[in-house]
Amino acid sequence: MSVSDMFAVLQGALGQDQDIREEIRKVVQALEQTAREMLTLLQGVHQGPGFQHIPKKCQKAREHFSTVRTQMESLKTKFPADQYYRFHEHWRFVLQRLVFLAAFVVYLESETLVTREAVAEILGIEADRERGFHLDIEDYLSGVLTLASELARLAVNSVTAGDYSRPLRISTFINELDSGFRLLNLKNDSLRKRYDGLKYDVKKIEEVVYDLSIRGLNKEATVGAGGEK
């Protein structure tokens, strides 16, 4: 084979690779739009009477996840099944955002941490990498860390809304989360940096709880803690 023939083959391979990336990009853009719509919807819990509408907003968010699953099915067809990590960077950010949104919905519904397996099911992908398009562990953990930041904000806005028991429950949850992350040996630099930010979320929530305490509102919160969430 001549040099020109060799480069003609290489050019063909490059063109095919670019076509795959372009098809992936189109689906990822659709996923990003769906994620933005869900985020806008869920941000409503921070505003005014938003706490009263949490069940309704979670229900609507669940409906958006139906669209996400359809879009994920499309994404799976855009590249060879054995080349997940070759193209992973294209959807890594939006997947982490979707993990956060799923985790936030589950927390608002039950005040528990969603498992990686449950998130994968919500998104319509696999938890086991051997079964194809899957939820990478680090993407799951990144989404959970974003949840921690969102809950720190929710704790502050809860006080503004007159819900004094919610910050106490959030504090307990975030401290358990922090303890869980301390068990992990994080070697990924990006994930490690994001985890380092968790201590600021913990501190922010502790300040909210302390403020409730010195204002005597923690007693009211404790009395109301057994009531409706």
Side-chain angles (χ1 to χ4, degrees), residues 200-229:
Y200 297 107
D201 296 324
V202 172
K203 182 179 179 181
K204 185 176 182 179
I205 296 169
E206 286 177 345
E207 290 174 350
V208 172
V209 172
Y210 176 72
D211 185 57
L212 288 173
S213 177
I214 62 174
R215 291 164 60 188
L217 296 175
N218 61 328
K219 296 179 181 179
E220 179 181 340
T222 301
V223 171
E228 184 177 325
K229 293 179 181 180

Side-chain angles (χ1 to χ4, degrees), residues 13 16-17 26 30 34 39 42 47 55 83 87 95 99 109 119 127 150 156 160 179 201 212 228:
Q16 184 179 24
D17 187 76
K26 291 177 182 177
T34 304
L39 182 60
L42 293 172
Q47 302 167 3
Q83 296 186 23
F87 300 104
L95 190 56
V99 170
E109 291 174 337
V119 175
E150 190 72 10
V156 174
T160 303
S179 296
D201 296 324
L212 288 173
E228 184 177 325

